[in-house]
Each structure stands twice: as C-alpha cells, then as structure tokens.
C-alpha cells in the first residue's frame, strides 16, 4: 500500500458486526433445547423480520441454522467463535502473528449457510440502511480524516471527495475476501475504500494471506510512520522525431520486502506504475526540457543537474499530488544518467 488509513475509532457502522457477533457466539454456538428466541439480543430482534431470500425471513434462517448448531460438537463451536474473533484481528492475520482459520477449517454450515446469510447482511441490510451506519457518511469521515485525494493503494486514481454535496463514494474492498472469511463480511476492520481499478480490475477476490503470505494492513494509528519509496531504472533513447523515449523500464518497490511483494501481487502495482510512466514519460521529459530552457534564459550558466535537484525538492513537498511519487522516481534515475544530462546542457 502506498499509503495507509488512520482508522475511525467509533462509528455506527461498526454496530452490525457486533450484532452478528452475538448471533454467532451467544445464539448459535449456545444452541440447546431452549428456544433460540430467548437468546436474541434487542439489536437482533429489531432486524429479524426482514426477508433474506424471497419468502424467507432472517428470523427463520436464524432458527434453521440454530437447529443445525444443536448437532455441532463443542470443539467445532470453539473454532467457529475463534474464527469470528479473527474478523476483528485483520492486522494480526496480515502480519502472521495470528494463525488464520480458513473456511475449510470450519464446520460446513459456515460455508453453506452462514456465508450467504452474511453476504446478504452486507449487501442488503447495510447497503439499504436497514441498520445503523451509513457507508457514504463513513467513507467521507475516513477521507476527511486522512485527506486522501487519490487511491491510497495505487496513488494514481482520483478519489471521490468528502464534499457535503457529493453523493458518490469509492467502493469498499473486503481486504480479506468475504468468500474465504465470511465472518469479516461486515467488519470495518476489513473493509477499505479503494479505487475501482485496484478493487475490481486488479485484486478481485485474491486473498492477501493465502499460501502463508504476509501483507500490509490498510489501517495504522500513525500513518506518517508508513512511507513507501518507489524507484525506477530505464534507458533513454531518441525516437524518429528526436524526442526522448524511455526503454527497459523497471519499477522497484521499497518498504517491507514480503509485504510489498504481496501488494504487487494483489494489485499489479509494478504493472500499473510501468504503464503510467510509459504513457506519460515523453510529455513529462518534454516539460522538464522546456522548463530548463526557460531557466537558461534567466541564467545561462544554470546546470541541468541542479535544475533536476530543484525539481525534486519541489515534488517532495507533496509527493502524492498528480503522481509525483513516480515523477520523483524518474528524476532520481535521470540524475544517474550522465550522458542524458550532458545532452541537455549543450
Ligand atoms: Zn487504486
């Protein structure tokens, strides 16, 4: 992740997950001969009348699953409770300090019955605001707090603003996919706004912690402590119009090696950055040349090398604006290409 979110500590949107926790841990996992209705919390009672399928109420699904739980043994139930608790421990799962419980580790009713039901909770109960919490309001709160203008994952795509009159938001990515971690379907420790390219086109349902991977966790209390250095290497040539072209481009991602590797695998980051640079390098290099020429008009002794260093300082003031973090990577490599600098100083 290029940048990480400082999390929101308290919001109504966190309530549904807590309500489902009582359903899993205090109703289903305590299934016995008594009626399930006695075990329902007030929050649950307020939403059980909604239909979760055509002609099927949430209440009747809760009861059907309650009856299945009567036949599940204690060790299996303990595992299910532990898996539910893990939906709040996404950070620990990402850095491997907690061993994840995957869907295949749990009783089959989790995959067959609970997973589709919790998907409905996310897509219907929360989306249509039948419960406390509003995805748009929470999105704006998060963006306002973090002052993000671009997707924090790729840094390339404009983000919807937190303006009061903006009715549009970015999509929430289930960072650990809800297909594999159904208990994290409505956990806002796991739901992170990302741009459509990162979320839908690149990541899809990839699981950041599959095959023992470790991954960046998108939230951090002190976001300034996370900085990602991006470097590039390339050769420069002249095309038929004597315009500079950039060849053999390579992107080098900094940060934690293993986590950056997962970031790249999830979102094709090197590919996204290579394409961005290749598409824009020529105009960018032409711009640099133009500005250096203007500088020479004022100071005929100005060195191209010094000009590039001034540009670097300027860009480093606000590295996330207008893909500057990649422009910095280009300039840093240009500074090592002495031949190129010599061409410009002629
Ligand atoms: Zn993105």
């Amino acid at each position: 992740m290029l940048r990480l979110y400082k999390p929101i500590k308290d919001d109504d949107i966190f309530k549904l997950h807590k309500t489902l926790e009582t359903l899993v841990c205090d109703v289903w996992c305590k299934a016995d001969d008594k009626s399930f209705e006695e075990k329902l919390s007030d929050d649950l009672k307020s939403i059980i009348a909604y239909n979760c399928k055509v002609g099927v109420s949430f209440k009747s699904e809760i009861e059907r699953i309650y009856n299945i739980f009567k036949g599940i043994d204690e060790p299996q139930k303990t595992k299910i409770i532990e898996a539910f608790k893990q939906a709040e421990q996404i950070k620990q799962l990402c850095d491997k300090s907690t061993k994840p419980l995957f869907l295949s580790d749990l009783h089959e009713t989790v995959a067959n019955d609970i997973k589709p039901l919790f998907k409905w909770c996310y897509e219907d109960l929360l989306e249509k605001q039948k419960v406390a919490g509003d995805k748009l309001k929470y999105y704006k709160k998060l963006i306002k707090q973090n002052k993000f203008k671009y997707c924090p994952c790729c840094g390339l795509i404009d983000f919807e603003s937190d303006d009061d009159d903006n009715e549009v938001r970015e999509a929430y990515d289930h960072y650990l996919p809800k297909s594999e971690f159904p208990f994290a379907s409505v956990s806002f420790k796991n739901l992170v706004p990302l741009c459509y390219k990162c979320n839908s086109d690149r990541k899809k349902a990839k699981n950041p912690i599959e095959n023992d991977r470790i991954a960046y966790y998108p939230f951090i209390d002190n976001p300034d402590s996370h900085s990602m250095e991006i470097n590039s290497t390339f050769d420069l040539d002249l095309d038929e119009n004597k315009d500079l072209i950039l060849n053999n481009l390579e992107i080098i991602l900094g940060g934690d090696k293993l986590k950056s590797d997962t970031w790249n695998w999830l979102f094709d980051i090197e590919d996204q950055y290579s394409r961005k640079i290749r598409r824009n390098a020529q105009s960018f290099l032409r711009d640099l040349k133009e500005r250096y020429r203007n500088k020479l008009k004022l100071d005929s002794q100005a060195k191209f090398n010094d000009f590039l260093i001034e540009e670097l300082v300027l860009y480093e003031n606000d590295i996330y604006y207008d893909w500057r973090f990649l422009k910095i990577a280009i300039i840093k490599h240009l500074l090592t290409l002495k031949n190129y600098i010599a061409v410009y100083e002629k």
Side-chain angles (χ1 to χ4, degrees), residues 97 126 140 165 168 183 203 262:
S97 57
L126 204 57
K140 288 186 183 178
D165 61 352
V168 183
F183 293 142
K203 178 167 174 273
T262 302

Short mmCIF file of all heavy atoms in Angstrom, two decimals, residues 97 126 140 165 168 183 203 262:
data_model
loop_
_atom_site.label_atom_id
_atom_site.label_comp_id
_atom_site.label_asym_id
_atom_site.label_seq_id
_atom_site.Cartn_x
_atom_site.Cartn_y
_atom_site.Cartn_z
N SER A 97 0.88 -12.78 12.94
CA SER A 97 1.05 -13.01 14.37
C SER A 97 -0.12 -13.83 14.92
O SER A 97 -0.06 -14.34 16.03
CB SER A 97 1.24 -11.70 15.14
OG SER A 97 0.16 -10.83 14.92
N LEU A 126 -26.99 -3.52 5.28
CA LEU A 126 -26.14 -2.34 5.44
C LEU A 126 -26.31 -1.38 4.28
O LEU A 126 -26.44 -0.17 4.45
CB LEU A 126 -24.69 -2.82 5.55
CG LEU A 126 -23.70 -1.92 6.24
CD1 LEU A 126 -24.14 -1.59 7.66
CD2 LEU A 126 -22.33 -2.61 6.30
N LYS A 140 -16.86 9.33 3.87
CA LYS A 140 -16.46 10.75 3.91
C LYS A 140 -15.65 11.06 5.17
O LYS A 140 -14.69 11.83 5.14
CB LYS A 140 -17.69 11.66 3.82
CG LYS A 140 -18.32 11.67 2.45
CD LYS A 140 -19.44 12.70 2.41
CE LYS A 140 -20.14 12.66 1.06
NZ LYS A 140 -21.27 13.61 1.01
N ASP A 165 -21.98 17.88 -0.64
CA ASP A 165 -22.97 17.64 -1.70
C ASP A 165 -22.58 16.47 -2.61
O ASP A 165 -23.26 16.21 -3.60
CB ASP A 165 -23.19 18.91 -2.52
CG ASP A 165 -21.91 19.38 -3.20
OD1 ASP A 165 -20.84 18.81 -2.92
OD2 ASP A 165 -21.99 20.31 -4.02
N VAL A 168 -21.53 10.44 -4.09
CA VAL A 168 -20.84 9.27 -4.65
C VAL A 168 -19.60 8.96 -3.81
O VAL A 168 -18.94 9.85 -3.31
CB VAL A 168 -20.42 9.57 -6.11
CG1 VAL A 168 -19.77 8.36 -6.75
CG2 VAL A 168 -21.63 10.01 -6.93
N PHE A 183 -17.01 -14.26 8.18
CA PHE A 183 -17.25 -13.53 9.43
C PHE A 183 -16.74 -12.09 9.34
O PHE A 183 -17.08 -11.26 10.18
CB PHE A 183 -16.62 -14.25 10.62
CG PHE A 183 -17.27 -15.58 10.92
CD1 PHE A 183 -16.51 -16.67 11.34
CD2 PHE A 183 -18.64 -15.74 10.81
CE1 PHE A 183 -17.11 -17.89 11.62
CE2 PHE A 183 -19.26 -16.96 11.09
CZ PHE A 183 -18.49 -18.04 11.49
N LYS A 203 -7.44 -6.60 -7.97
CA LYS A 203 -7.41 -7.53 -6.83
C LYS A 203 -8.48 -8.61 -6.95
O LYS A 203 -8.21 -9.78 -6.71
CB LYS A 203 -7.60 -6.75 -5.52
CG LYS A 203 -7.63 -7.65 -4.28
CD LYS A 203 -7.50 -6.82 -3.02
CE LYS A 203 -7.66 -7.63 -1.76
NZ LYS A 203 -9.04 -7.77 -1.32
N THR A 262 3.46 -8.84 -1.77
CA THR A 262 2.02 -9.15 -1.75
C THR A 262 1.21 -8.00 -2.34
O THR A 262 0.27 -8.21 -3.12
CB THR A 262 1.55 -9.44 -0.31
OG1 THR A 262 2.31 -10.54 0.21
CG2 THR A 262 0.08 -9.78 -0.25
#
